[in-house]
Amino acid sequence: MNDSGEPVPPPGRSARDRVAGLLSGALGSAIVMFVLLGAMWAVEVVDYVEGGALDQYGIVAQEPEGLPGILFAPFLHDGFGHLMANSVPLLILGFLAAIRGVGRFLWASIVVVLVSGAGVWLTSPPGTLTVGASGLVFGYFGYVVARGLFDRRALDILLGVVVAVLYYSILWGALPGEPGISWQGHLFGLIGGVLAAWLLRRRAVRDGV
């Protein structure tokens, strides 16, 4: 308490502690993203050897046996070209999404996968097979941008603005258009990312970073 008898709030973290925390978060973020991408590439190599046999385990719309594909689809791709197209934005956006902590990132990923996958299963034409990590790409985009709005920390706001400026064009992919592209996965991935940011928001933040 101070001289007037009022409680004194605990001191905030020093700048050094905040920098150390961010560096630790960046390292953990980089590791988890390289592991995630490594797993996707390993699965695609096996799929190539097996002649594309693994793709059948993706999301089969409106078919009960297609429900487990909600969990498997992000790790499956329609060839190396498809995987390469997803890898760079997934690495960048996933890294930024995970920089605040791996635990929070994993929960956000679960929300995105479930919302995106459920949306694809419910709204795609019956029997349509969907594979790919693009739902995660759109989910991480939505998560990083919305996290700045909900958490209201300087760094998160800055990252959200930068991501919105650099990647805003991907939003066109969430609209019906190009045949063979699951706009449903993109749209519901985006919704899942915003929902995850809201569910995982910090109620009170005093660090300023």
Side-chain angles (χ1 to χ4, degrees), residues 43-204:
V43 169
E44 191 56 33
V45 169
V46 173
D47 187 50
Y48 176 79
V49 172
E50 295 295 326
L54 297 184
D55 289 347
Q56 65 180 309
Y57 298 108
I59 302 170
V60 182
Q62 302 183 40
E63 297 288 344
E65 60 270 21
L67 283 171
I70 291 175
L71 301 179
F72 302 143
F75 294 91
L76 303 170
H77 290 81
D78 186 22
F80 288 107
H82 185 201
L83 177 55
M84 289 177 65
N86 280 334
S87 291
V88 173
L90 184 66
L91 179 63
I92 295 173
L93 294 172
F95 172 81
L96 295 176
I99 201 169
R100 280 300 186 183
V102 173
R104 214 173 165 204
F105 169 76
L106 293 177
W107 279 113
S109 299
I110 290 171
V111 172
V112 170
V113 167
L114 293 179
V115 172
S116 175
V120 168
W121 189 86
L122 286 169
T123 64
S124 295
T128 302
L129 175 66
T130 302
V131 296
S134 56
L136 278 176
V137 171
F138 278 75
Y140 293 152
F141 170 85
Y143 177 73
V144 173
V145 173
R147 182 177 60 190
L149 296 175
F150 294 136
D151 281 4
R152 298 182 179 276
R153 292 192 290 195
L155 179 61
D156 293 324
I157 293 172
L158 176 61
L159 290 177
V161 170
V162 170
V163 166
V165 170
L166 293 179
Y167 285 96
Y168 74 92
S169 61
I170 74 171
L171 293 175
W172 294 111
L175 300 175
E178 188 174 350
I181 302 297
S182 177
W183 63 268
Q184 295 94 336
H186 299 172
L187 175 60
F188 285 98
L190 182 65
I191 293 172
V194 174
L195 176 62
W198 182 77
L199 291 173
L200 299 171
R201 69 195 184 282
R202 296 185 185 275
R203 303 279 181 181

